[in-house]
Amino acid sequence: MKYLTLPTGDRMPALGLGTWQAAKGQVAQAVTEALRIGYRHIDCAHVYGNEAEIGEALATTDVPRNELWITSKLWNNSQMPEDVRPALKGSLKALGLEYLDLYLVHWPVQIRSGVTYPQSSADLVPWTTEHMLETWEALEECVDEGLVRNIGTSNFSTKKILAIQERCTLRPAVSQVEMHPYFQQNKMRAFCAANGMVVTGFAPLGSKHRPAHQIKTDEPSLLDHPHILSIAEKHGTTPAAVLLGWAVARGTSVIPKSVNPGRLQQNLAAADLALDEEDMTAINAMDAGYRFLDGAHWMMDGSPYTPENLWDGE
Ligand code: A2P
């Protein structure tokens, strides 16, 4: 397994297991199987609603804690400074852990305290840099307290990360964003490389397990793209392994979700796939600026969030 080094010197396994939409009743078994076959990085979030089941699997593993990498995320309704520590403690309790390796601000979107998903624009609070800096300061205190070793962002633009970086004490260590051949995040990669940060890509396989209302009818497929199919055939591997191997070869980390033992194995094998220059060039040419997860669910009538102010044109 390849590892990526963070500013603290901590080493994140490049290939991890995503757990969004991993159902209760399936996820504990999937995490147990993943750890058994060699995964050491599990990507979680409070809002996925399955941290307690993941905790059950972590409780029974004989992998030492210092060989595991566990990420979780602060949900959008807990960004008020006084809510940050309780939210982190809640994830730790559910996961049965003393500390997290990484805690991310899940979205640059604020939801009113007490509301999990906004029912109307009245549940959303407009985004401000000042507000995020207060959230960030509360996260820094959690690092000081030893509750988490590294902090970062998810779904943030480079512009929003820079606004934190310019005024914080502890800089963001990781930027987790959607990343795959149709949305290659070259600006984010360059920004993170210049700032000693690690990029983690979600939805590397196209995230076909999203809720139906988030799936567009004309979505392009990654797993069936002719370039991906022919590269997979050339290396005697699967299309998923090609997509994941590409991410690892670019020096990013990647967190495919699966609850299926065969696919867990296929995906893990990608960490050791040696793609050649010709393969990388063909995949790099697929960039289309296409997001599968466009954040439209934050943009109901009257919402303060728009594609422009959410993504900052990135
Ligand atoms: P499953 O959990 O049944 O394996 P992403 O990581 O881009 O969000 O995509 C996850 C989706 O892709 C899930 O529906 C998952 O289903 C499926 N998936 C995971 N691994 C593979 C694979 N190797 N080949 C095809 N589909 C996969």
Side-chain angles (χ1 to χ4, degrees):
M1 174 63 68
K2 194 168 155 189
Y3 284 79
L4 301 166
T5 304
L6 273 58
T8 49
D10 285 356
R11 293 164 74 240
M12 173 198 269
L15 196 134
L17 177 66
T19 62
W20 182 43
Q21 302 281 15
K24 291 180 186 179
Q26 290 186 316
V27 71
Q29 217 178 339
V31 171
T32 298
E33 174 63 7
L35 295 173
R36 189 186 72 77
I37 64 176
Y39 284 76
R40 291 294 178 263
H41 171 174
I42 314 290
D43 183 85
C44 315
H46 167 73
V47 80
Y48 301 164
N50 54 11
E51 287 188 325
E53 286 74 20
I54 295 169
E56 286 167 21
L58 296 179
T60 56
T61 181
D62 52 12
V63 178
R65 176 65 185 94
N66 64 3
E67 290 179 22
L68 288 175
W69 183 278
I70 310 292
T71 298
S72 184
K73 307 184 194 87
L74 176 73
W75 187 234
N76 306 2
N77 62 4
S78 303
Q79 292 174 358
M80 295 304 286
E82 63 275 19
D83 295 335
V84 169
R85 185 174 182 277
L88 171 49
K89 293 276 273 187
S91 282
L92 287 174
K93 185 162 186 246
L95 292 162
L97 299 176
E98 302 278 315
Y99 69 91
L100 290 176
D101 296 279
L102 177 64
Y103 200 41
L104 305 174
V105 181
H106 205 146
W107 280 91
V109 168
Q110 192 187 354
I111 302 177
R112 224 156 38 81
S113 271
V115 174
T116 302
Y117 290 104
Q119 299 304 310
S120 74
S121 60
D123 292 332
L124 289 167
V125 181
W127 185 257
T128 68
T129 302
E130 291 309 315
H131 156 70
M132 184 37 35
L133 288 167
E134 287 172 11
T135 307
W136 195 260
E137 211 171 295
L139 287 166
E140 291 174 337
E141 285 167 17
C142 292
V143 175
D144 292 342
E145 212 186 315
L147 299 175
V148 57
R149 296 181 56 88
N150 301 277
I151 48 180
T153 61
S154 172
N155 294 298
F156 279 48
S157 63
T158 62
K159 183 180 168 190
K160 290 190 177 78
I161 298 172
L162 190 61
I164 299 174
Q165 199 178 284
E166 282 173 345
R167 291 171 52 196
C168 66
T169 305
L170 264 181
R171 289 170 159 223
V174 172
S175 168
Q176 185 178 124
V177 284
E178 174 173 343
M179 187 172 60
H180 44 72
Y182 296 143
F183 202 78
Q184 301 197 5
Q185 294 278 10
N186 288 322
K187 181 172 182 183
M188 180 62 74
R189 272 178 72 227
F191 175 86
C192 289
N195 288 283
M197 295 172 65
V198 165
V199 184
T200 298
F202 68 72
L205 308 176
S207 199
K208 288 288 179 220
H209 60 309
R210 274 168 293 147
H213 69 272
Q214 288 187 19
I215 299 186
K216 289 161 238 148
T217 45
D218 56 350
E219 268 186 20
S221 168
L222 279 167
L223 289 162
D224 296 333
H225 189 285
H227 287 352
I228 302 298
L229 291 173
S230 74
I231 296 168
E233 197 180 338
K234 170 173 146 188
H235 291 277
T237 188
T238 60
V242 172
L243 293 167
L244 303 172
W246 168 81
V248 173
R250 294 166 92 222
T252 58
S253 96
V254 68
I255 45 169
K257 174 261 175 185
S258 184
V259 291
N260 172 284
R263 291 192 284 275
L264 284 170
Q265 185 74 60
Q266 281 179 24
N267 297 350
L268 183 64
D272 299 317
L273 178 65
L275 295 174
D276 61 33
E277 215 177 303
E278 187 190 5
D279 305 328
M280 294 302 284
T281 305
I283 303 175
N284 291 344
M286 287 170 59
D287 202 1
Y290 184 85
R291 284 181 195 276
F292 290 105
L293 291 97
D294 60 9
H297 52 292
W298 305 124
M299 298 170 198
M300 69 282 274
D301 278 351
S303 167
Y305 295 92
T306 64
E308 292 71 30
N309 68 21
L310 182 64
W311 304 118
D312 297 315
E314 295 183 11

